[in-house]
Amino acid sequence: MAPGGYFGRALVVDVATAAAVVLPLDEEVLRGYLGGAGLGAWLMHRLAPPGTDPLGAQAPLAFVFSPLVGTPLTTSAKFAVVAKSPLTGMLNDALSSSHFAISGKLTGHDAIVVHGACDRPSVLLVDGDGARLMDAADLWGLPAAQAEQRLRERLGRGWRAAAIGPAGERLVRYATISHDGRHAGRGGLGAVLGAKRLKAVAVRAATKVAPADPGAVLAAARDLRARSFGPATAKYRELGTLANLLAFNAISALPTRNFQAATFAGAPRLAAEELAELRTVARNSCASCTIGCEHIYSGGGRTMRVEYENVFALGPMCGVSDPDAVLAASALCDELGLDTISAGGTIAWAMECAERGLIGAPWLRFGDADALLRVLPLIAAREGLGDLLAEGSRRAAEQVGGGSADFAPHVKGLELPGYEPRTMHAMALGLAVNSRGADHNRSGAYEADLSGDLDRFAGGDAQVAAAVETEDRAAVMDSLILCKFLRGVFREPFEEWAALLSAVTGWDADGAELRRTARRIVLAKRVFNLREGWQPGDDWLPERLLSEPLETGSGRVAALTPERLRSMISGYYAVRGLDPEGRPAQADIAGLGLR
Amino acid sequence: MPTRDETRHTIEAVPDTAGIVLAGGRSSRMGTPKAALEWHGSTLLRRTTGILARVTDGPVLVVRAPGQELPTLPPQVEIVEDPAEGLGPVQGLAAGLGALTGRADIVFVSSTDMPFLHPAFIRRVLRAVADGADVGLPLARGYPQPLAAGYRVTLAPVAARLVAQQRLRPAFLFEECQVARLDEAALRADPVLAALDPDLDSVVNVNEPADYQAARARPAPEVTVQRFGTLADGHRGPHPVRAATVSGAAAATGLALDRHVVAALNGDQITRDGETPLAAGDTVFFMSADAGG
């Protein structure tokens, strides 16, 4: 019998035939990897053939649920999509949320894995009757939201779909998978589904799952709900993540014009404080969430969810300050199914290439809103210049040459989020070493940079400790799964998370166990990447960030030298128990329980 | 006020510098330890060490008399004890410079009792030493100011020898090295200093209760605050306030520093330390500690 909150099985579907097999997940695996990103890593070790082409038929892609999904615990209705990334060639997990998580889990599985490829555009349906395919010829080419709407109309109540947009169909390497407008955005997992000719995966609940101690879970849910209304989440409730923009600009942490500056004169026009007054249409929240971080804005004749990363990537990063254009570009990315961070980063790189005469696109200039709106559909359609940019900045720079790799804004192929590493040294380390690539959701080391507890311009041991700690916390939150916007309400996070997990599963987990779990998950991801060809040089930052000091708004010259970064990375490896080149000992790999 | 271009190059810590606060005096005229005198919710010594820490990129040391009690200081402030009490500033200088040998090139040395010491003044004085002198000695408000001056750390053995020779006045030290004397005209030629400390109040010290009371009665320095994100509710844009500490600036704009609020001083270092001292012309940004997303 599975522990509370689990079914103890994954459904593995060959979408070439819709043949499905059940993969038992024993308690040791579940307790060791929890769910979400952690269990996804285990599944990829188990199911992904070594060296598999992420866009090949054999590549598996998993929708992974977690023990807390379906409980009344706030923010727990989340799922992870996990696969080898076509953008990075390494393990990628991307989280999304809302009803798909609940319905997907209540199909009776802790994960739904697809592999193989359909011979025509299809939708995979999974419910109590098992897995089957449905023709999706009429959905092919539609934005994900429209495809979802059609599926709701066709399938009826109770079905929830996660779908790809046109970018995923055309194998853009940073295409998203979305559900209810929320994107599993990073790493190009939409292209993995597109390569399988799967427009969507639709799920319908068929069963129930009970926590081990319903009373304790309910009490914890009430407590957490009350705390979720407190000051730790005020920022997300009241203005959303876009509140970062003006503050980051003030402290020279806002990447601008492809990391050529860290302040943007146009920032006030794009600030949440400004836009919220003028353009807020509504607030919204995911299923099972009491925070309600989504701020729906109007702009350019559309309405759209607005996040800091969207606005950073399509605004300051591209030098665009027209809020209508930035919001329209963000909405366009949603419709096309493009990761806004990678889209903005790749376009910003291309703008710099164009200005340097490295690519023949004189129309593509920093600050040109029309150019921004013109190039996005080209990327999604892989037309002309868009075909190059659909590869992401790393591959595009390899093609263009001319030194453009030095300013391609990526780590491991994943474009950098909106945190300036030269003025945030803890974050610089986190971005360099994380297994997913340059990412702010798997390494929240920026928390240390902004805490006031250390010198954000002088990375050292404290930054190493912060990067490890925040990476560990992310590993657990992404596996339980709880929304990171809730993180500020926990005073003793590992202990409190263990208490939640114990109430749901019946285990006697404690904080120390979850710390070990975090390290196991982090290491399992690194080991997967090693298997797929990771090299020590992959844990590094773009040359620009290490060779071009940055004059901040305060007049300070902020620099991150290769020596300082190397020193922090060495410290990170030491704390993680890795060898000086970042490789784990064989005994540690054997202890991961991977097969 | 200086222009933005003038001030923007004045924020960064001066390279390879450190600070020494000589706190070992007897405070006999004041009648109570000057280091612990209240200063806008903080103490005089806390303020002085904080001002030095803002300008220098190396350690800040407090040299105290043997067994002298000090008010609470941030953990990064180092304490050095004079080997002997009552030998005056050259003894303290020898102890402090000796402790910094190999750790910094230039040191700003201050007494503990200068509540209006401004970062711009320290920068100007340190620059005189960086330009090649052994000592940068201000001549301000009618007197030379050896306890508001810059010294090369390499003077440590010279100071120690003078102490051994019982030659305990700073003038003896100046006889043995190259001194850049900065008169008031030279100091005011610095546009930032001229704008932010036009009367050279940096060197005003408090020796007696009446001095302290008069100084304490002055208004706190004028600084600019700006609140961001959810903290900006109803308070958008920059606002001038008078505050001597980050906590004071927060209070002046209706905020309380807690674990959800941090401050960025002049857009640079981020702090939760409410006792971080402010000086005229500073800008303090308040933002949510829960950054990210």
Side-chain angles (χ1 to χ4, degrees), chain A residues 332-575:
Chain A
L332 197 50
C333 284
D334 282 354
E335 289 174 16
L336 298 169
L338 290 169
D339 172 26
T340 52
I341 301 175
S342 283
T346 303
I347 292 168
W349 166 85
M351 287 173 163
E352 187 165 350
C353 285
E355 292 194 350
R356 290 171 178 241
L358 295 173
I359 60 176
W363 52 275
L364 195 60
R365 288 287 186 268
F366 283 116
D368 189 329
D370 291 339
L372 174 68
L373 294 169
R374 176 179 167 187
V375 76
L376 287 168
L378 297 178
I379 293 171
R382 281 189 172 270
E383 287 179 16
L385 177 65
D387 193 39
L388 173 72
L389 303 188
E391 294 291 289
S393 62
R394 178 173 69 179
R395 283 181 174 80
E398 287 168 357
Q399 291 187 43
V400 168
S404 65
D406 289 349
F407 55 87
H410 72 88
V411 174
K412 301 181 179 70
L414 191 69
E415 281 69 25
L416 287 142
Y419 300 81
E420 170 53 66
R422 286 165 288 190
T423 61
M424 304 177 82
H425 284 191
M427 192 58 184
L429 174 62
L431 293 170
V433 298
N434 192 264
S435 60
R436 190 163 84 155
D439 182 75
H440 61 293
N441 278 322
R442 302 297 173 267
S443 175
Y446 57 80
E447 292 177 45
D449 288 309
L450 302 175
S451 69
D453 296 334
L454 45 73
D455 183 346
R456 66 189 174 108
F457 299 100
D461 291 346
Q463 281 76 4
V464 170
V468 170
E469 174 71 10
T470 55
E471 194 175 57
D472 281 352
R473 290 185 184 191
V476 172
M477 293 198 89
D478 292 341
S479 300
L480 283 173
I481 303 169
L482 286 171
C483 178
K484 294 199 186 68
F485 294 170
L486 201 59
R487 66 190 184 281
V489 311
F490 299 106
R491 289 280 190 167
E492 298 290 340
F494 287 93
E495 293 294 342
E496 292 180 60
W497 297 334
L500 297 177
L501 183 65
S502 296
V504 172
T505 61
W507 297 332
D508 56 349
D510 60 16
E513 177 180 332
L514 278 193
R515 284 190 175 276
R516 291 192 297 276
T517 302
R519 297 201 157 212
R520 182 181 304 115
I521 292 168
V522 170
L523 184 57
K525 293 180 180 183
R526 177 167 284 267
V527 170
F528 184 93
N529 287 351
L530 269 168
R531 196 191 81 173
E532 298 300 313
W534 173 93
Q535 295 295 318
D538 291 324
D539 284 354
W540 202 240
L541 290 175
E543 176 64 20
R544 158 163 290 166
L545 303 180
L546 302 171
S547 62
E548 296 180 17
L550 189 68
E551 187 179 36
T552 70
S554 71
R556 172 188 285 265
V557 177
L560 176 61
T561 63
E563 293 75 22
R564 188 185 291 277
L565 179 61
R566 192 171 294 113
S567 172
M568 287 196 292
I569 290 173
S570 295
Y572 173 88
Y573 289 165
V575 173

Side-chain angles (χ1 to χ4, degrees), chain B residues 168-184:
Chain B
L168 299 174
R169 290 166 46 207
F172 293 129
L173 178 66
F174 302 152
E175 287 174 2
E176 301 202 23
C177 61
Q178 184 189 345
V179 179
R181 288 178 167 76
L182 299 165
D183 62 17
E184 295 196 2

